[in-house]
């Protein structure tokens, strides 16, 4: 029977057609697989490309200054002398101010949302905070420049100057005329931007604590705070740290919000209220004005330094969060 | 008994601080929104949508910036989305547990939170210096670089949620793998994929730093992709830093428009993704 079927022309045609369709399937399969694979490789190349172009762009500055760029505190386009310390200092100080304010408050908000908040309010408040994390940074900058800076200048900074005038160390940190704009204002704006991040990540992390553990704590007569400090926080330590580092990475690289309120002075001020600059603010402000190659290249080298710093911070953060995910999956 | 009292007091103090931090955080955030709406709405008029940006101390609107923002954003999303979806597909469908996928996942997460100004520097060197001038297309590419990691992340997560039995059922019918992915997995994850794209649009529509030295800015109406192009964020930056009251007021109006767009897109994305989950 089969022989006859194969011998009749119609069936042979059908078999050939079937084979053609199957080859087509196979071809499309392979093509699609390669397409997706190459897209994934492009993502890798993207990061490689960013690093390569930054290194390539900073070669002239590196040739001119070498490692002095990192340690010589000078930024003078007129004489063609450039150095990173002022910008790096501003970046680090504003981020530290931001984290000192944002971490306790972000954690407080997360604790409120997971442990204290009535169920009906949990979703709206959580959603509101997540939406606020999505507001563009330029909006925060605008608000900082027109609302926060004048307010600090008129009300908060004179108070701080008066309060700490006779206290050693602090009288240097809080010295000088109240400009309104400066490192402190930039740190505060960054803190407001980072709070939603810290609280959103910590909230997700707190939600992974098994209810059984908390119930055991309450069963032993713990107060709510004791459950939080002895069970919830130790259990989620790694994840919370990951979230904090993620916020720090954001604060370090944030550009627009800082550029508006930092004051853009290429100096290392001793007072927290004095104008300064950060890496990203310097790039944003000066890049289009930079005419000669050395100036542009110095700004790109600043960008490279920023990228290296944030890369390290973000890597640590991701590794911590990944460790937590693996833990939760177990 | 003293110990018990102390524990109770500590509990009250710490929980009180938690409430205080919520009040602190929300106060600032509400304050920002109130000033934004207050200052933004007062400048809102028909002129904003029909006239281009003015010279100092004269009347005008934001038409060139709105159009420029739309063009750059849409183009950036059109470039970034297919790449992001394909890369996410590889990670979820083909290389799920492979070394490459985990490396890409890690790198993608780094790109996701990398400073956007660095992306601007990257595109400046790759495109602007080669072409010799700032251009709208360079701005779009810069935004695409920001779109990609967001879309990769959501695509991978959403495809992982699609049950394996669905794919097995389709494969059992004799469908090739690529058709299973395209017709079955994409379809099942549709809401999630759209959410990812919406979130990416929301994110890039307010991006300023990467546009500063790619698309630069333009005071005049222009749809030429090969020339500098205006965008709302860069106009806001320029006008807010200027001493002119009229420009500052336009900056607030532009900020309001961006915020409304971003909030609208985020809410849309949320409702879509929650619908997808309950289904």
């Amino acid at each position: 029977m089969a022989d006859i079927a194969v011998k009749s022309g119609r069936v042979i045609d059908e078999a050939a057609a079937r084979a053609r369709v199957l080859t087509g399937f196979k071809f499309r399969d392979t093509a699609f697989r390669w397409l997706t694979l190459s897209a994934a490789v492009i993502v890798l190349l993207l990061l490689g490309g960013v690093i390569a172009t930054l290194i390539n762009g900073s070669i002239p500055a590196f040739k001119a200054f070498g490692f002095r760029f990192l340690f010589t505190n000078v930024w003078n386009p007129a004489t063609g002398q450039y150095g990173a310390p002022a910008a790096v200092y501003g970046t680090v100080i504003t981020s530290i101010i931001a984290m000192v304010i944002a971490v306790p408050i972000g954690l407080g908000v997360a604790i409120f949302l997971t442990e204290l908040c009535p169920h009906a309010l949990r979703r709206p408040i959580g959603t509101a905070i997540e939406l606020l994390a999505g507001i563009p940074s330029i909006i925060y900058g605008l608000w900082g420049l027109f609302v926060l800076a004048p307010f600090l200048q008129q009300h908060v900074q004179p108070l701080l100057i008066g309060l700490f005038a006779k206290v050693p160390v602090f009288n240097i940190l809080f010295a000088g005329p109240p400009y309104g704009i400066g490192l402190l204002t930039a740190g505060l704006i960054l803190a407001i931007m980072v709070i939603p991040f810290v609280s959103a990540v910590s909230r997700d992390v707190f939600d992974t604590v098994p209810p059984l553990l908390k119930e055991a704590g309450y069963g032993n007569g713990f107060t709510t705070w004791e459950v939080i400090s002895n069970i919830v926080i130790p259990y989620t330590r790694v994840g919370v740290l990951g979230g904090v580092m993620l916020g720090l990475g954001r604060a370090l690289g944030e550009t627009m919000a800082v550029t508006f309120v930092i004051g853009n002075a290429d100096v290392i001020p001793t007072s927290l209220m004095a104008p300064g600059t950060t890496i990203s603010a310097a790039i944003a402000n000066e890049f289009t004005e930079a005419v000669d190659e050395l100036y542009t290249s110095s700004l790109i080298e600043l960008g490279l330094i920023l990228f290296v710093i944030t890369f390290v911070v973000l890597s640590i953060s991701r590794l911590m969060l990944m460790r937590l995910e693996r833990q939760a999956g177990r | 008994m003293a110990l018990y009292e102390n524990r109770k007091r500590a509990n009250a103090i710490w929980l009180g601080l938690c409430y205080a931090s919520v009040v602190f955080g929300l106060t600032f955030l509400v304050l920002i929104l109130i000033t934004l709406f207050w200052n933004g709405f007062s400048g809102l008029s028909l002129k904003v949508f029909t006239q281009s940006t003015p010279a100092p101390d004269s009347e005008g609107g934001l038409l060139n910036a709105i159009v420029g923002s739309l063009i750059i954003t849409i183009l950036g999303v059109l470039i970034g989305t297919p790449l992001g979806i394909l890369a996410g597909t590889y990670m979820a469908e083909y290389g799920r547990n492979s070394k490459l996928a985990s490396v890409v996942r890690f790198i993608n997460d780094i790109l996701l939170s990398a400073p956007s100004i660095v992306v601007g520097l990257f595109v400046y060197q790759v495109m602007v210096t080669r072409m010799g001038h700032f251009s709208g297309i360079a701005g779009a590419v810069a935004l695409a670089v920001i779109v990609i990691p967001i879309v990769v992340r959501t695509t991978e997560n959403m495809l992982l949620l699609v049950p394996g039995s669905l794919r097995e059922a389709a494969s059992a019918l004799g469908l090739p793998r690529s058709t299973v992915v395209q017709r079955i997995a994409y379809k099942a994850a549709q809401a999630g994929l759209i959410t990812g794209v919406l979130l990416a649009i929301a994110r890039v529509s307010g991006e300023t730093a990467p546009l500063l030295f790619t698309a630069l800015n333009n005071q005049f109406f222009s749809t030429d992709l090969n020339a500098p192009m205006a965008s709302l964020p860069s106009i806001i930056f320029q006008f807010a830093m200027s001493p002119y009251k009229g420009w500052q007021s336009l900056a607030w109006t532009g900020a309001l428009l961006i915020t409304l767009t971003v909030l609208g897109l985020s809410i849309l994305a949320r409702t879509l993704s929650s619908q997808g989950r309950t289904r």
Side-chain angles (χ1 to χ4, degrees), chain A residues 2-56:
Chain A
D3 293 350
I4 302 165
V6 172
K7 265 173 203 153
S8 80
R10 204 171 58 87
V11 177
I12 288 176
D13 274 358
E14 256 174 34
R18 200 179 151 79
R20 257 203 312 279
V21 170
L22 282 178
T23 331
F25 275 1
K26 208 169 169 187
F27 174 75
R28 262 194 290 156
D29 253 10
T30 324
F32 188 66
R33 197 198 156 101
W34 277 100
L35 201 63
T36 59
L37 179 66
S38 38
V41 172
I42 286 178
V43 173
L44 286 186
L45 291 181
L46 217 53
L47 188 82
V50 171
I51 296 172
T53 52
L54 286 180
I55 291 176
N56 183 39

Side-chain angles (χ1 to χ4, degrees), chain A:
Chain A
M1 278 289 277
D3 293 350
I4 302 165
V6 172
K7 265 173 203 153
S8 80
R10 204 171 58 87
V11 177
I12 288 176
D13 274 358
E14 256 174 34
R18 200 179 151 79
R20 257 203 312 279
V21 170
L22 282 178
T23 331
F25 275 1
K26 208 169 169 187
F27 174 75
R28 262 194 290 156
D29 253 10
T30 324
F32 188 66
R33 197 198 156 101
W34 277 100
L35 201 63
T36 59
L37 179 66
S38 38
V41 172
I42 286 178
V43 173
L44 286 186
L45 291 181
L46 217 53
L47 188 82
V50 171
I51 296 172
T53 52
L54 286 180
I55 291 176
N56 183 39
S58 48
I59 286 173
F62 190 79
K63 270 188 186 149
F65 309 116
F67 287 103
R68 269 185 302 146
F69 188 78
L70 290 174
F71 305 109
T72 320
N73 180 29
V74 54
W75 191 266
N76 193 340
T79 59
Q81 294 293 312
Y82 303 96
V88 174
Y89 173 84
T91 305
V92 172
I93 293 293
T94 50
S95 299
I96 290 176
I97 297 173
M99 296 321 281
V100 166
I101 302 171
V103 169
I105 290 177
L107 286 181
V109 173
I111 291 172
F112 171 80
L113 284 174
T114 50
E115 308 290 332
L116 308 174
C117 184
H119 248 283
L121 285 178
R122 211 167 271 193
R123 251 184 85 93
I125 295 185
T127 312
I129 284 178
E130 268 168 47
L131 286 180
L132 290 162
I135 290 183
S137 60
I138 193 160
I139 310 292
Y140 287 95
L142 200 60
W143 182 80
L145 179 66
F146 285 117
V147 182
L148 186 64
F151 176 78
L152 289 178
Q153 183 180 21
Q154 282 154 21
H155 303 287
V156 179
Q157 292 187 344
L159 199 76
L160 285 173
I161 294 170
L163 201 62
F164 291 117
K166 297 218 168 61
V167 189
V169 182
F170 282 97
N171 60 0
I172 301 171
L173 286 180
F174 297 101
Y179 290 110
I181 52 177
L183 296 175
L184 190 67
T185 315
L188 197 52
I189 284 278
L190 282 179
I192 296 169
M193 293 185 63
V194 170
I195 288 171
F197 270 92
V198 176
S199 66
V201 178
S202 327
R203 189 187 58 158
D204 290 348
V205 173
F206 287 164
D207 274 337
T208 64
V209 179
L212 210 62
L213 282 184
K214 287 192 266 183
E215 281 159 20
Y218 285 118
N220 276 329
F222 278 17
T223 61
T224 312
W225 173 249
E226 282 163 349
V227 168
I228 293 165
S229 63
N230 294 322
I231 296 171
V232 176
I233 291 181
Y235 186 87
T236 53
R237 205 175 39 218
V238 179
V240 168
L241 263 176
V244 169
M245 298 291 270
L246 201 64
L248 176 61
R250 194 141 193 106
L252 286 167
E254 180 45 52
T255 309
M256 297 325 291
V258 175
T259 308
F260 274 105
V261 294
I262 191 78
N264 302 305
D266 301 310
V267 290
I268 298 186
T270 51
S271 165
L272 291 181
M273 291 195 283
T277 191
T278 67
I279 294 178
S280 48
I283 301 173
N285 264 310
E286 300 175 32
F287 200 81
T288 43
E289 294 164 15
V291 276
D292 60 306
E293 193 194 8
L294 196 59
Y295 197 173
T296 312
S297 171
S298 301
L299 286 169
I300 292 175
E301 190 169 352
L302 277 187
L304 180 65
I305 295 171
L306 175 67
F307 193 56
V308 170
I309 298 174
T310 48
F311 188 89
V312 171
V313 170
L314 291 174
S315 303
I316 297 172
S317 145
R318 287 300 170 186
L319 289 175
M320 282 174 156
L321 290 172
M322 269 157 86
R323 213 174 98 187
L324 187 87
E325 263 166 46
R326 226 170 295 144
Q327 202 178 38
R330 221 181 274 152

Side-chain angles (χ1 to χ4, degrees), chain B residues 29-276:
Chain B
L29 300 165
V30 169
L31 267 179
I32 291 176
L33 287 185
I34 289 176
T35 28
L36 179 64
F37 279 82
W38 187 266
N39 289 319
F41 269 119
S42 61
L44 207 59
S45 68
L46 201 61
K47 264 187 251 151
V48 170
F49 301 98
T50 53
Q51 293 180 15
S52 283
T53 43
D57 294 326
S58 56
E59 295 225 315
L62 293 166
L63 179 67
N64 53 341
I66 294 171
V67 172
S69 265
L70 280 177
I71 293 175
I72 295 177
T73 308
I74 290 173
L75 212 58
V77 171
L78 284 183
I79 300 170
T81 304
L83 263 171
I85 288 189
L86 284 174
T89 308
Y90 175 78
M91 280 148 69
E93 298 286 337
Y94 291 108
R96 200 172 281 195
N97 293 315
S98 67
K99 265 259 154 57
L100 178 68
S102 52
V103 173
V104 173
R105 191 170 302 130
F106 183 76
I107 295 300
N108 190 63
D109 281 346
I110 299 279
L111 280 176
L112 194 65
S113 14
S116 56
I117 192 152
V118 170
V119 172
L121 285 177
F122 166 61
V123 175
Y124 171 83
Q125 293 194 71
V126 172
M127 291 190 69
V128 178
T129 48
R130 295 265 161 80
M131 294 163 72
H133 56 85
F134 301 100
S135 65
I137 185 76
V141 170
L143 292 191
V145 175
I146 295 168
V147 166
I148 289 171
I150 305 172
V151 176
V152 171
R153 187 91 202 259
T154 44
T155 305
E156 193 201 356
N157 289 343
M158 292 305 151
L159 285 178
L160 286 178
L161 288 180
V162 176
S165 51
L166 209 60
R167 294 189 188 88
E168 285 156 19
S171 294
L173 290 174
L175 288 179
R177 189 70 189 270
S178 56
T179 315
V180 173
V181 173
Q182 287 162 14
R183 297 273 173 82
I184 310 293
Y186 281 171
K187 188 119 199 179
Q190 202 177 30
L193 299 186
I194 296 172
T195 306
V197 177
L198 287 177
L199 287 178
I201 302 175
R203 166 80 195 274
V204 296
S205 52
E207 276 295 346
T208 320
L211 294 180
L212 288 178
F213 26 84
T214 50
L216 198 66
N217 202 348
N218 194 338
Q219 293 297 355
F220 306 101
F221 188 87
S222 161
T223 52
D224 184 3
L225 280 176
N226 205 20
M229 192 177 266
S231 62
L232 275 174
S234 43
I235 290 275
I236 294 173
F237 182 49
Q238 187 199 349
F239 281 12
M241 292 292 222
S242 79
Y244 311 110
K245 280 270 171 277
W247 275 14
Q248 290 178 1
S249 144
L250 274 177
W252 278 108
T253 308
L256 178 69
L257 292 180
I258 290 184
T259 309
L260 288 179
T261 314
V262 170
L263 289 183
L265 284 168
S266 315
I267 290 168
L268 195 66
R270 284 187 147 271
T271 37
L272 256 180
S273 70
S274 63
Q275 265 176 10

